[in-house]
Amino acid sequence: QVQLVESGGGLVRPGGSLTLSCAASESIFSIAAMAWYRQFPGKERELVALITMDDNIKYADFVKGRFTISRDTSKNMVFLQMNSLKPEDTAVYYCNADLWYGSSFPGPANRHSWGQGTQVTVSS
């Protein structure tokens, strides 16, 4: 089980920026994919951005051009730079580690590790 801790959330006005950070308990070099998800009340978590161990990056359509995912492997850190924030971006943002991303096999039930989440609120 990979331990993940998110930070950087807070209150920001529309059009503002925030940078979220995720600290992992072990080397992210050996993790198939690191990702950011977000969750609205009563909804399932949805993918925001993902970066694989070979630096392939994927963004959800609703954040393309506004958010940037990056990592610092030497520090076991993953970041999400969020610009041009909108009220509809308000959610709890979670860091995710997928040990089996891209595998043709289903992997174990606990293939995903999650942080506790950090609240992002965009409001005027």
Side-chain angles (χ1 to χ4, degrees):
Q1 182 71 37
V2 180
Q3 302 300 127
L4 304 171
V5 180
E6 305 97 334
S7 62
L11 175 64
V12 64
R13 294 190 178 280
S17 299
L18 284 174
T19 298
L20 305 184
S21 299
C22 173
S25 62
E26 61 187 74
S27 176
I28 61 175
F29 178 78
S30 62
I31 300 174
M34 298 293 297
W36 289 95
Y37 285 70
R38 69 185 185 186
Q39 185 172 29
F40 305 111
K43 302 293 184 179
E44 297 291 327
R45 294 180 187 180
E46 61 181 11
L47 178 68
V48 175
L50 179 146
I51 183 168
T52 69
M53 63 188 301
D54 59 349
D55 294 320
N56 185 43
I57 295 175
K58 177 182 179 181
Y59 294 104
D61 288 341
F62 51 81
V63 302
K64 285 183 178 178
R66 299 190 297 126
F67 293 7
T68 302
I69 188 171
S70 62
R71 66 180 180 182
D72 185 339
T73 303
S74 67
K75 295 182 173 63
N76 295 334
M77 299 284 289
V78 179
F79 308 96
L80 184 68
Q81 175 65 49
M82 304 185 294
N83 299 319
S84 302
L85 284 162
K86 305 174 181 179
E88 52 263 44
D89 293 320
T90 296
V92 178
Y93 285 72
Y94 295 89
C95 185
N96 167 263
D98 186 355
L99 301 180
W100 289 78
Y101 183 83
S103 175
S104 59
F105 300 95
N110 63 342
R111 60 181 286 179
H112 290 281
S113 295
W114 299 94
Q116 295 301 304
T118 184
Q119 176 70 47
V120 172
T121 302
V122 184
S123 176
S124 59

